Amino acid sequence: AFYSGTFSKNEVRKYWEAECLPPKAKAKAKAKVKAKAKPSGWEKKVREPVAQQEIVKRLGACKVVPVIKIDDPSHAVPLCAALKEGGIDLAEITFRTPHAAGAIADVCKGVEGVCVGAGTVVDPRQVDIAIDNGADFIVSPGFDARVARRCKVRGALYMPGTITPTEVMTAMAAGLRYLKFAPATNCGGLGALKSYAAVFPDVAWMPTGGVSESNIAEFL
């Protein structure tokens, strides 16, 4: 009250810290002030994948998703560019080699208009690696609750592999409606898919495994 109107609060605080506080308290006060001085915008920005419904539209329009295993990183961009030129603007690059993350990044930067997904994803760490490098959807050999949760957090479409009705129902219980059916030709092929469609009408399927140029017309 004595200093009211004579000195500002900041001037009073500085005088108190300089003349009245013991040395240890001064150091603590300085450290406290220093800790608050964080630069704005220091948080790391997290990449967001393309909206799931947009991916679903593109999958429905293209109908074919090449599953790509990259052994030579230099092949990724020319291969996806050739696919794009041929009318296929989707690609699933699998985590079957150590070059997957780099290949996803290269294609996303080097081939305009191609939507890249990551395949053979088996743990949440790979989900983050794939999305941070540009992947917009995630495919795995089977359903994994950890991967499903991470994809939900990151906002990415997740398509796990399913074969049995139990696996399908487990994936559906996690809120998934777009599922991979694999290995398709070894597990009943088109006949099995037709039977499943009658039981699970809300599920859309992506058959993989054994689908080739000779039989692709059956699945389309």
Short mmCIF file of all heavy atoms in Angstrom, two decimals, residues 138-207:
data_model
loop_
_atom_site.label_atom_id
_atom_site.label_comp_id
_atom_site.label_asym_id
_atom_site.label_seq_id
_atom_site.Cartn_x
_atom_site.Cartn_y
_atom_site.Cartn_z
N ILE A 138 -3.53 -47.32 -43.90
CA ILE A 138 -2.71 -48.37 -43.29
C ILE A 138 -3.36 -49.73 -43.53
O ILE A 138 -4.56 -49.90 -43.30
CB ILE A 138 -2.56 -48.14 -41.76
CG1 ILE A 138 -1.94 -46.76 -41.48
CG2 ILE A 138 -1.74 -49.26 -41.14
CD1 ILE A 138 -0.53 -46.58 -41.95
N VAL A 139 -2.54 -50.69 -43.97
CA VAL A 139 -3.01 -52.06 -44.20
C VAL A 139 -2.11 -53.00 -43.40
O VAL A 139 -0.89 -52.82 -43.37
CB VAL A 139 -2.95 -52.43 -45.70
CG1 VAL A 139 -3.53 -53.81 -45.93
CG2 VAL A 139 -3.70 -51.39 -46.54
N SER A 140 -2.72 -54.00 -42.76
CA SER A 140 -1.92 -54.96 -41.99
C SER A 140 -2.34 -56.38 -42.33
O SER A 140 -3.47 -56.60 -42.81
CB SER A 140 -2.04 -54.69 -40.49
OG SER A 140 -3.38 -54.86 -40.07
N PRO A 141 -1.48 -57.37 -42.08
CA PRO A 141 -1.80 -58.77 -42.41
C PRO A 141 -2.99 -59.30 -41.63
O PRO A 141 -3.72 -60.17 -42.10
CB PRO A 141 -0.52 -59.53 -42.04
CG PRO A 141 0.55 -58.48 -41.99
CD PRO A 141 -0.12 -57.23 -41.54
N GLY A 142 -3.17 -58.81 -40.40
CA GLY A 142 -4.29 -59.23 -39.55
C GLY A 142 -4.70 -58.09 -38.66
O GLY A 142 -4.06 -57.03 -38.64
N PHE A 143 -5.78 -58.29 -37.90
CA PHE A 143 -6.26 -57.24 -37.01
C PHE A 143 -5.37 -57.15 -35.78
O PHE A 143 -5.07 -58.16 -35.14
CB PHE A 143 -7.69 -57.51 -36.59
CG PHE A 143 -8.20 -56.54 -35.55
CD1 PHE A 143 -8.58 -55.26 -35.93
CD2 PHE A 143 -8.26 -56.88 -34.21
CE1 PHE A 143 -9.04 -54.34 -34.98
CE2 PHE A 143 -8.71 -55.99 -33.27
CZ PHE A 143 -9.10 -54.71 -33.65
N ASP A 144 -4.96 -55.93 -35.43
CA ASP A 144 -4.19 -55.68 -34.22
C ASP A 144 -4.84 -54.48 -33.52
O ASP A 144 -4.92 -53.39 -34.09
CB ASP A 144 -2.73 -55.37 -34.55
CG ASP A 144 -1.85 -55.25 -33.32
OD1 ASP A 144 -2.10 -54.34 -32.50
OD2 ASP A 144 -0.91 -56.04 -33.17
N ALA A 145 -5.29 -54.70 -32.28
CA ALA A 145 -6.00 -53.64 -31.55
C ALA A 145 -5.12 -52.43 -31.33
O ALA A 145 -5.59 -51.29 -31.37
CB ALA A 145 -6.51 -54.18 -30.22
N ARG A 146 -3.81 -52.65 -31.13
CA ARG A 146 -2.89 -51.52 -30.90
C ARG A 146 -2.77 -50.67 -32.16
O ARG A 146 -2.78 -49.43 -32.10
CB ARG A 146 -1.52 -52.03 -30.48
CG ARG A 146 -1.49 -52.89 -29.23
CD ARG A 146 -0.13 -53.54 -29.11
NE ARG A 146 0.19 -54.28 -30.33
CZ ARG A 146 1.43 -54.54 -30.76
NH1 ARG A 146 2.47 -54.11 -30.07
NH2 ARG A 146 1.62 -55.22 -31.87
N VAL A 147 -2.67 -51.33 -33.29
CA VAL A 147 -2.57 -50.62 -34.57
C VAL A 147 -3.89 -49.87 -34.85
O VAL A 147 -3.88 -48.73 -35.30
CB VAL A 147 -2.25 -51.59 -35.71
CG1 VAL A 147 -2.33 -50.89 -37.07
CG2 VAL A 147 -0.86 -52.20 -35.52
N ALA A 148 -5.01 -50.52 -34.55
CA ALA A 148 -6.31 -49.88 -34.75
C ALA A 148 -6.44 -48.62 -33.92
O ALA A 148 -6.90 -47.58 -34.41
CB ALA A 148 -7.43 -50.87 -34.40
N ARG A 149 -6.01 -48.69 -32.66
CA ARG A 149 -6.09 -47.51 -31.79
C ARG A 149 -5.20 -46.39 -32.28
O ARG A 149 -5.59 -45.22 -32.27
CB ARG A 149 -5.72 -47.89 -30.35
CG ARG A 149 -6.79 -48.70 -29.62
CD ARG A 149 -6.50 -48.78 -28.14
NE ARG A 149 -5.29 -49.52 -27.85
CZ ARG A 149 -5.25 -50.83 -27.61
NH1 ARG A 149 -6.37 -51.55 -27.62
NH2 ARG A 149 -4.11 -51.44 -27.34
N ARG A 150 -4.00 -46.75 -32.74
CA ARG A 150 -3.08 -45.71 -33.20
C ARG A 150 -3.58 -45.06 -34.48
O ARG A 150 -3.47 -43.83 -34.66
CB ARG A 150 -1.68 -46.31 -33.43
CG ARG A 150 -0.61 -45.25 -33.61
CD ARG A 150 -0.53 -44.37 -32.39
NE ARG A 150 0.31 -43.18 -32.60
CZ ARG A 150 0.24 -42.09 -31.87
NH1 ARG A 150 -0.61 -42.01 -30.88
NH2 ARG A 150 1.02 -41.07 -32.13
N CYS A 151 -4.15 -45.85 -35.38
CA CYS A 151 -4.72 -45.29 -36.61
C CYS A 151 -5.88 -44.36 -36.28
O CYS A 151 -6.04 -43.31 -36.93
CB CYS A 151 -5.19 -46.42 -37.52
SG CYS A 151 -3.86 -47.31 -38.34
N LYS A 152 -6.67 -44.72 -35.28
CA LYS A 152 -7.78 -43.85 -34.87
C LYS A 152 -7.27 -42.53 -34.34
O LYS A 152 -7.80 -41.46 -34.66
CB LYS A 152 -8.63 -44.57 -33.82
CG LYS A 152 -9.88 -43.80 -33.42
CD LYS A 152 -10.74 -44.59 -32.46
CE LYS A 152 -12.01 -43.84 -32.11
NZ LYS A 152 -12.88 -44.62 -31.18
N VAL A 153 -6.21 -42.59 -33.52
CA VAL A 153 -5.62 -41.36 -32.99
C VAL A 153 -5.08 -40.48 -34.11
O VAL A 153 -5.26 -39.26 -34.10
CB VAL A 153 -4.49 -41.71 -31.98
CG1 VAL A 153 -3.68 -40.46 -31.62
CG2 VAL A 153 -5.06 -42.34 -30.72
N ARG A 154 -4.43 -41.10 -35.10
CA ARG A 154 -3.84 -40.34 -36.19
C ARG A 154 -4.84 -39.98 -37.29
O ARG A 154 -4.52 -39.22 -38.19
CB ARG A 154 -2.66 -41.11 -36.80
CG ARG A 154 -1.47 -41.35 -35.90
CD ARG A 154 -0.80 -40.07 -35.44
NE ARG A 154 -0.31 -39.25 -36.53
CZ ARG A 154 0.94 -39.25 -36.97
NH1 ARG A 154 1.84 -40.03 -36.39
NH2 ARG A 154 1.32 -38.45 -37.96
N GLY A 155 -6.03 -40.57 -37.23
CA GLY A 155 -7.06 -40.26 -38.22
C GLY A 155 -6.88 -40.95 -39.55
O GLY A 155 -7.36 -40.47 -40.58
N ALA A 156 -6.20 -42.10 -39.55
CA ALA A 156 -5.92 -42.81 -40.81
C ALA A 156 -6.87 -43.99 -41.00
O ALA A 156 -7.24 -44.67 -40.05
CB ALA A 156 -4.48 -43.31 -40.81
N LEU A 157 -7.24 -44.23 -42.24
CA LEU A 157 -8.04 -45.41 -42.58
C LEU A 157 -7.21 -46.65 -42.32
O LEU A 157 -6.07 -46.76 -42.77
CB LEU A 157 -8.45 -45.35 -44.06
CG LEU A 157 -9.24 -46.55 -44.58
CD1 LEU A 157 -10.61 -46.63 -43.92
CD2 LEU A 157 -9.38 -46.47 -46.10
N TYR A 158 -7.78 -47.62 -41.59
CA TYR A 158 -7.07 -48.86 -41.25
C TYR A 158 -7.83 -50.04 -41.84
O TYR A 158 -9.02 -50.23 -41.57
CB TYR A 158 -6.97 -48.99 -39.73
CG TYR A 158 -6.37 -50.30 -39.25
CD1 TYR A 158 -5.24 -50.84 -39.87
CD2 TYR A 158 -6.90 -50.98 -38.16
CE1 TYR A 158 -4.67 -52.03 -39.42
CE2 TYR A 158 -6.34 -52.16 -37.70
CZ TYR A 158 -5.23 -52.68 -38.33
OH TYR A 158 -4.68 -53.86 -37.88
N MET A 159 -7.14 -50.84 -42.66
CA MET A 159 -7.72 -52.02 -43.27
C MET A 159 -6.92 -53.26 -42.87
O MET A 159 -5.90 -53.57 -43.49
CB MET A 159 -7.77 -51.87 -44.79
CG MET A 159 -8.74 -50.80 -45.25
SD MET A 159 -8.88 -50.65 -47.05
CE MET A 159 -7.31 -49.84 -47.41
N PRO A 160 -7.36 -53.97 -41.83
CA PRO A 160 -6.64 -55.16 -41.41
C PRO A 160 -7.06 -56.38 -42.23
O PRO A 160 -8.18 -56.44 -42.75
CB PRO A 160 -7.08 -55.32 -39.95
CG PRO A 160 -8.47 -54.78 -39.94
CD PRO A 160 -8.47 -53.64 -40.93
N GLY A 161 -6.18 -57.36 -42.31
CA GLY A 161 -6.50 -58.60 -42.97
C GLY A 161 -7.43 -59.45 -42.11
O GLY A 161 -7.23 -59.56 -40.90
N THR A 162 -8.45 -60.04 -42.72
CA THR A 162 -9.39 -60.92 -42.02
C THR A 162 -9.69 -62.13 -42.89
O THR A 162 -9.70 -62.03 -44.12
CB THR A 162 -10.70 -60.20 -41.68
OG1 THR A 162 -11.26 -59.66 -42.89
CG2 THR A 162 -10.48 -59.06 -40.69
N ILE A 163 -9.95 -63.26 -42.24
CA ILE A 163 -10.31 -64.49 -42.96
C ILE A 163 -11.58 -65.10 -42.38
O ILE A 163 -12.55 -65.35 -43.09
CB ILE A 163 -9.17 -65.53 -42.91
CG1 ILE A 163 -7.99 -65.05 -43.75
CG2 ILE A 163 -9.64 -66.89 -43.41
CD1 ILE A 163 -8.28 -64.96 -45.24
N THR A 164 -11.59 -65.33 -41.09
CA THR A 164 -12.71 -66.02 -40.45
C THR A 164 -13.80 -65.04 -40.02
O THR A 164 -13.54 -63.85 -39.83
CB THR A 164 -12.23 -66.79 -39.21
OG1 THR A 164 -11.83 -65.83 -38.21
CG2 THR A 164 -11.06 -67.69 -39.55
N PRO A 165 -15.02 -65.53 -39.83
CA PRO A 165 -16.09 -64.66 -39.31
C PRO A 165 -15.73 -64.03 -37.97
O PRO A 165 -16.09 -62.88 -37.71
CB PRO A 165 -17.28 -65.62 -39.18
CG PRO A 165 -17.03 -66.67 -40.20
CD PRO A 165 -15.53 -66.85 -40.21
N THR A 166 -15.02 -64.77 -37.13
CA THR A 166 -14.61 -64.23 -35.83
C THR A 166 -13.68 -63.03 -36.02
O THR A 166 -13.83 -62.00 -35.33
CB THR A 166 -13.89 -65.30 -34.99
OG1 THR A 166 -14.78 -66.40 -34.76
CG2 THR A 166 -13.43 -64.73 -33.65
N GLU A 167 -12.74 -63.13 -36.95
CA GLU A 167 -11.84 -62.01 -37.22
C GLU A 167 -12.60 -60.81 -37.77
O GLU A 167 -12.32 -59.66 -37.40
CB GLU A 167 -10.75 -62.45 -38.20
CG GLU A 167 -9.79 -63.48 -37.62
CD GLU A 167 -8.85 -64.06 -38.66
OE1 GLU A 167 -9.08 -63.84 -39.87
OE2 GLU A 167 -7.88 -64.72 -38.26
N VAL A 168 -13.55 -61.08 -38.64
CA VAL A 168 -14.36 -59.99 -39.20
C VAL A 168 -15.14 -59.28 -38.09
O VAL A 168 -15.16 -58.05 -38.00
CB VAL A 168 -15.33 -60.53 -40.27
CG1 VAL A 168 -16.26 -59.41 -40.76
CG2 VAL A 168 -14.56 -61.11 -41.45
N MET A 169 -15.75 -60.05 -37.21
CA MET A 169 -16.56 -59.47 -36.14
C MET A 169 -15.69 -58.72 -35.13
O MET A 169 -16.11 -57.70 -34.57
CB MET A 169 -17.36 -60.56 -35.44
CG MET A 169 -18.46 -61.15 -36.34
SD MET A 169 -19.26 -62.62 -35.65
CE MET A 169 -20.13 -61.90 -34.25
N THR A 170 -14.47 -59.21 -34.91
CA THR A 170 -13.55 -58.51 -34.01
C THR A 170 -13.19 -57.14 -34.58
O THR A 170 -13.17 -56.13 -33.87
CB THR A 170 -12.26 -59.33 -33.80
OG1 THR A 170 -12.60 -60.59 -33.22
CG2 THR A 170 -11.28 -58.60 -32.89
N ALA A 171 -12.92 -57.10 -35.89
CA ALA A 171 -12.60 -55.83 -36.54
C ALA A 171 -13.80 -54.90 -36.54
O ALA A 171 -13.68 -53.69 -36.30
CB ALA A 171 -12.12 -56.08 -37.97
N MET A 172 -14.98 -55.45 -36.76
CA MET A 172 -16.19 -54.63 -36.75
C MET A 172 -16.45 -54.05 -35.36
O MET A 172 -16.91 -52.91 -35.24
CB MET A 172 -17.39 -55.46 -37.22
CG MET A 172 -17.35 -55.83 -38.70
SD MET A 172 -18.78 -56.83 -39.21
CE MET A 172 -20.11 -55.64 -39.05
N ALA A 173 -16.16 -54.82 -34.32
CA ALA A 173 -16.35 -54.34 -32.95
C ALA A 173 -15.44 -53.16 -32.65
O ALA A 173 -15.74 -52.35 -31.77
CB ALA A 173 -16.10 -55.48 -31.97
N ALA A 174 -14.34 -53.06 -33.40
CA ALA A 174 -13.42 -51.93 -33.24
C ALA A 174 -13.83 -50.74 -34.11
O ALA A 174 -13.10 -49.75 -34.19
CB ALA A 174 -12.00 -52.36 -33.57
N GLY A 175 -14.97 -50.86 -34.78
CA GLY A 175 -15.47 -49.75 -35.59
C GLY A 175 -15.00 -49.75 -37.03
O GLY A 175 -15.16 -48.76 -37.74
N LEU A 176 -14.42 -50.86 -37.49
CA LEU A 176 -13.87 -50.93 -38.84
C LEU A 176 -14.89 -51.53 -39.81
O LEU A 176 -15.54 -52.52 -39.48
CB LEU A 176 -12.58 -51.75 -38.85
CG LEU A 176 -11.50 -51.30 -37.85
CD1 LEU A 176 -10.30 -52.23 -37.93
CD2 LEU A 176 -11.09 -49.87 -38.12
N ARG A 177 -14.99 -50.95 -40.99
CA ARG A 177 -15.92 -51.44 -42.00
C ARG A 177 -15.24 -51.68 -43.34
O ARG A 177 -15.88 -52.15 -44.28
CB ARG A 177 -17.08 -50.44 -42.19
CG ARG A 177 -17.98 -50.32 -40.97
CD ARG A 177 -18.72 -51.62 -40.67
NE ARG A 177 -19.63 -51.51 -39.54
CZ ARG A 177 -19.28 -51.73 -38.28
NH1 ARG A 177 -18.03 -52.06 -37.98
NH2 ARG A 177 -20.17 -51.62 -37.31
N TYR A 178 -13.98 -51.38 -43.46
CA TYR A 178 -13.23 -51.61 -44.70
C TYR A 178 -12.10 -52.59 -44.36
O TYR A 178 -11.15 -52.24 -43.66
CB TYR A 178 -12.67 -50.28 -45.25
CG TYR A 178 -13.78 -49.29 -45.52
CD1 TYR A 178 -14.13 -48.33 -44.58
CD2 TYR A 178 -14.51 -49.35 -46.71
CE1 TYR A 178 -15.16 -47.43 -44.81
CE2 TYR A 178 -15.55 -48.46 -46.95
CZ TYR A 178 -15.87 -47.51 -46.00
OH TYR A 178 -16.90 -46.63 -46.23
N LEU A 179 -12.23 -53.82 -44.85
CA LEU A 179 -11.33 -54.89 -44.43
C LEU A 179 -10.65 -55.54 -45.62
O LEU A 179 -11.19 -55.59 -46.72
CB LEU A 179 -12.11 -55.96 -43.66
CG LEU A 179 -12.96 -55.47 -42.46
CD1 LEU A 179 -13.70 -56.65 -41.84
CD2 LEU A 179 -12.09 -54.78 -41.43
N LYS A 180 -9.45 -56.03 -45.36
CA LYS A 180 -8.72 -56.80 -46.36
C LYS A 180 -9.08 -58.27 -46.21
O LYS A 180 -9.18 -58.78 -45.08
CB LYS A 180 -7.21 -56.60 -46.17
CG LYS A 180 -6.37 -57.36 -47.19
CD LYS A 180 -4.90 -57.01 -47.09
CE LYS A 180 -4.22 -57.71 -45.95
NZ LYS A 180 -2.74 -57.60 -46.04
N PHE A 181 -9.32 -58.96 -47.31
CA PHE A 181 -9.58 -60.39 -47.31
C PHE A 181 -8.37 -61.07 -47.92
O PHE A 181 -8.12 -60.98 -49.12
CB PHE A 181 -10.84 -60.72 -48.12
CG PHE A 181 -11.20 -62.18 -48.13
CD1 PHE A 181 -11.63 -62.81 -46.97
CD2 PHE A 181 -11.11 -62.92 -49.30
CE1 PHE A 181 -11.96 -64.16 -46.99
CE2 PHE A 181 -11.44 -64.26 -49.33
CZ PHE A 181 -11.87 -64.89 -48.18
N ALA A 182 -7.56 -61.72 -47.07
CA ALA A 182 -6.30 -62.27 -47.57
C ALA A 182 -5.85 -63.48 -46.73
O ALA A 182 -6.09 -63.51 -45.52
CB ALA A 182 -5.21 -61.20 -47.53
N PRO A 183 -5.19 -64.45 -47.37
CA PRO A 183 -4.96 -64.56 -48.83
C PRO A 183 -6.22 -65.03 -49.55
O PRO A 183 -6.76 -66.10 -49.25
CB PRO A 183 -3.84 -65.60 -48.93
CG PRO A 183 -3.98 -66.42 -47.69
CD PRO A 183 -4.51 -65.52 -46.62
N ALA A 184 -6.70 -64.21 -50.45
CA ALA A 184 -8.02 -64.38 -51.03
C ALA A 184 -8.21 -65.72 -51.75
O ALA A 184 -9.16 -66.46 -51.45
CB ALA A 184 -8.31 -63.22 -51.99
N THR A 185 -7.32 -66.04 -52.69
CA THR A 185 -7.54 -67.24 -53.49
C THR A 185 -7.30 -68.52 -52.69
O THR A 185 -7.84 -69.57 -53.05
CB THR A 185 -6.63 -67.23 -54.73
OG1 THR A 185 -5.25 -67.10 -54.33
CG2 THR A 185 -6.98 -66.06 -55.64
N ASN A 186 -6.53 -68.45 -51.63
CA ASN A 186 -6.28 -69.64 -50.81
C ASN A 186 -7.41 -69.90 -49.82
O ASN A 186 -7.47 -70.96 -49.20
CB ASN A 186 -4.98 -69.48 -50.01
CG ASN A 186 -3.75 -69.55 -50.89
OD1 ASN A 186 -3.83 -69.98 -52.04
ND2 ASN A 186 -2.62 -69.11 -50.38
N CYS A 187 -8.29 -68.92 -49.65
CA CYS A 187 -9.32 -69.04 -48.61
C CYS A 187 -10.73 -68.87 -49.17
O CYS A 187 -11.60 -68.27 -48.53
CB CYS A 187 -9.06 -67.99 -47.53
SG CYS A 187 -7.50 -68.21 -46.68
N GLY A 188 -10.94 -69.41 -50.34
CA GLY A 188 -12.30 -69.43 -50.88
C GLY A 188 -12.57 -68.44 -51.99
O GLY A 188 -13.59 -68.53 -52.68
N GLY A 189 -11.69 -67.47 -52.16
CA GLY A 189 -11.80 -66.53 -53.25
C GLY A 189 -13.14 -65.81 -53.33
O GLY A 189 -13.73 -65.43 -52.31
N LEU A 190 -13.63 -65.66 -54.56
CA LEU A 190 -14.85 -64.90 -54.80
C LEU A 190 -16.06 -65.54 -54.13
O LEU A 190 -16.94 -64.84 -53.61
CB LEU A 190 -15.08 -64.77 -56.30
CG LEU A 190 -16.27 -63.90 -56.72
CD1 LEU A 190 -16.09 -62.48 -56.24
CD2 LEU A 190 -16.41 -63.93 -58.25
N GLY A 191 -16.10 -66.88 -54.09
CA GLY A 191 -17.22 -67.57 -53.47
C GLY A 191 -17.34 -67.23 -51.99
O GLY A 191 -18.43 -66.98 -51.48
N ALA A 192 -16.19 -67.22 -51.29
CA ALA A 192 -16.19 -66.88 -49.87
C ALA A 192 -16.63 -65.43 -49.66
O ALA A 192 -17.40 -65.13 -48.73
CB ALA A 192 -14.80 -67.10 -49.29
N LEU A 193 -16.16 -64.53 -50.51
CA LEU A 193 -16.54 -63.12 -50.39
C LEU A 193 -18.04 -62.92 -50.58
O LEU A 193 -18.67 -62.12 -49.86
CB LEU A 193 -15.77 -62.27 -51.40
CG LEU A 193 -14.34 -61.87 -51.02
CD1 LEU A 193 -13.68 -61.12 -52.16
CD2 LEU A 193 -14.34 -61.02 -49.76
N LYS A 194 -18.63 -63.65 -51.52
CA LYS A 194 -20.07 -63.54 -51.73
C LYS A 194 -20.85 -64.03 -50.52
O LYS A 194 -21.85 -63.44 -50.12
CB LYS A 194 -20.48 -64.32 -52.98
CG LYS A 194 -20.06 -63.66 -54.29
CD LYS A 194 -20.54 -64.46 -55.49
CE LYS A 194 -20.19 -63.76 -56.80
NZ LYS A 194 -20.64 -64.55 -57.98
N SER A 195 -20.35 -65.10 -49.91
CA SER A 195 -21.01 -65.63 -48.71
C SER A 195 -20.90 -64.64 -47.56
O SER A 195 -21.86 -64.41 -46.82
CB SER A 195 -20.38 -66.97 -48.31
OG SER A 195 -20.58 -67.94 -49.32
N TYR A 196 -19.72 -64.04 -47.42
CA TYR A 196 -19.50 -63.07 -46.34
C TYR A 196 -20.34 -61.81 -46.56
O TYR A 196 -20.82 -61.19 -45.61
CB TYR A 196 -18.03 -62.70 -46.25
CG TYR A 196 -17.19 -63.69 -45.47
CD1 TYR A 196 -17.70 -64.91 -45.07
CD2 TYR A 196 -15.87 -63.40 -45.15
CE1 TYR A 196 -16.94 -65.81 -44.36
CE2 TYR A 196 -15.08 -64.29 -44.44
CZ TYR A 196 -15.62 -65.50 -44.05
OH TYR A 196 -14.87 -66.39 -43.34
N ALA A 197 -20.51 -61.43 -47.82
CA ALA A 197 -21.28 -60.23 -48.12
C ALA A 197 -22.73 -60.36 -47.66
O ALA A 197 -23.36 -59.39 -47.25
CB ALA A 197 -21.24 -59.94 -49.63
N ALA A 198 -23.25 -61.58 -47.69
CA ALA A 198 -24.62 -61.81 -47.25
C ALA A 198 -24.73 -61.70 -45.73
O ALA A 198 -25.75 -61.25 -45.20
CB ALA A 198 -25.09 -63.20 -47.70
N VAL A 199 -23.67 -62.09 -45.03
CA VAL A 199 -23.68 -62.08 -43.56
C VAL A 199 -23.24 -60.73 -43.01
O VAL A 199 -23.74 -60.27 -41.97
CB VAL A 199 -22.75 -63.19 -43.02
CG1 VAL A 199 -22.77 -63.21 -41.49
CG2 VAL A 199 -23.16 -64.54 -43.56
N PHE A 200 -22.30 -60.10 -43.71
CA PHE A 200 -21.75 -58.80 -43.26
C PHE A 200 -21.98 -57.74 -44.35
O PHE A 200 -21.03 -57.31 -45.02
CB PHE A 200 -20.25 -58.93 -42.97
CG PHE A 200 -19.90 -60.03 -42.00
CD1 PHE A 200 -19.18 -61.15 -42.40
CD2 PHE A 200 -20.28 -59.94 -40.66
CE1 PHE A 200 -18.85 -62.14 -41.50
CE2 PHE A 200 -19.96 -60.93 -39.75
CZ PHE A 200 -19.25 -62.04 -40.17
N PRO A 201 -23.21 -57.32 -44.54
CA PRO A 201 -23.52 -56.39 -45.64
C PRO A 201 -22.91 -55.00 -45.47
O PRO A 201 -22.81 -54.26 -46.46
CB PRO A 201 -25.05 -56.32 -45.61
CG PRO A 201 -25.43 -56.67 -44.20
CD PRO A 201 -24.42 -57.68 -43.76
N ASP A 202 -22.51 -54.65 -44.26
CA ASP A 202 -21.94 -53.32 -44.02
C ASP A 202 -20.44 -53.25 -44.25
O ASP A 202 -19.83 -52.18 -44.09
CB ASP A 202 -22.24 -52.86 -42.59
CG ASP A 202 -23.73 -52.68 -42.35
OD1 ASP A 202 -24.45 -52.37 -43.33
OD2 ASP A 202 -24.18 -52.86 -41.20
N VAL A 203 -19.84 -54.39 -44.59
CA VAL A 203 -18.38 -54.44 -44.77
C VAL A 203 -18.02 -54.34 -46.25
O VAL A 203 -18.64 -54.98 -47.10
CB VAL A 203 -17.80 -55.74 -44.18
CG1 VAL A 203 -16.30 -55.87 -44.51
CG2 VAL A 203 -18.00 -55.78 -42.67
N ALA A 204 -17.00 -53.53 -46.55
CA ALA A 204 -16.43 -53.46 -47.90
C ALA A 204 -15.10 -54.19 -47.87
O ALA A 204 -14.32 -54.02 -46.93
CB ALA A 204 -16.25 -52.01 -48.32
N TRP A 205 -14.83 -54.97 -48.91
CA TRP A 205 -13.67 -55.85 -48.89
C TRP A 205 -12.62 -55.43 -49.91
O TRP A 205 -12.94 -54.97 -51.00
CB TRP A 205 -14.10 -57.29 -49.21
CG TRP A 205 -15.15 -57.81 -48.30
CD1 TRP A 205 -16.50 -57.78 -48.49
CD2 TRP A 205 -14.95 -58.43 -47.03
NE1 TRP A 205 -17.15 -58.35 -47.44
CE2 TRP A 205 -16.23 -58.76 -46.52
CE3 TRP A 205 -13.81 -58.75 -46.28
CZ2 TRP A 205 -16.40 -59.39 -45.30
CZ3 TRP A 205 -13.98 -59.38 -45.06
CH2 TRP A 205 -15.26 -59.70 -44.58
N MET A 206 -11.36 -55.64 -49.54
CA MET A 206 -10.24 -55.49 -50.46
C MET A 206 -9.53 -56.83 -50.53
O MET A 206 -8.68 -57.15 -49.69
CB MET A 206 -9.27 -54.40 -50.00
CG MET A 206 -8.14 -54.17 -51.00
SD MET A 206 -7.10 -52.73 -50.60
CE MET A 206 -6.22 -53.32 -49.15
N PRO A 207 -9.88 -57.69 -51.53
CA PRO A 207 -9.24 -59.00 -51.65
C PRO A 207 -7.78 -58.87 -52.09
O PRO A 207 -7.47 -58.12 -53.02
CB PRO A 207 -10.08 -59.71 -52.70
CG PRO A 207 -10.71 -58.62 -53.49
CD PRO A 207 -10.91 -57.48 -52.55
#
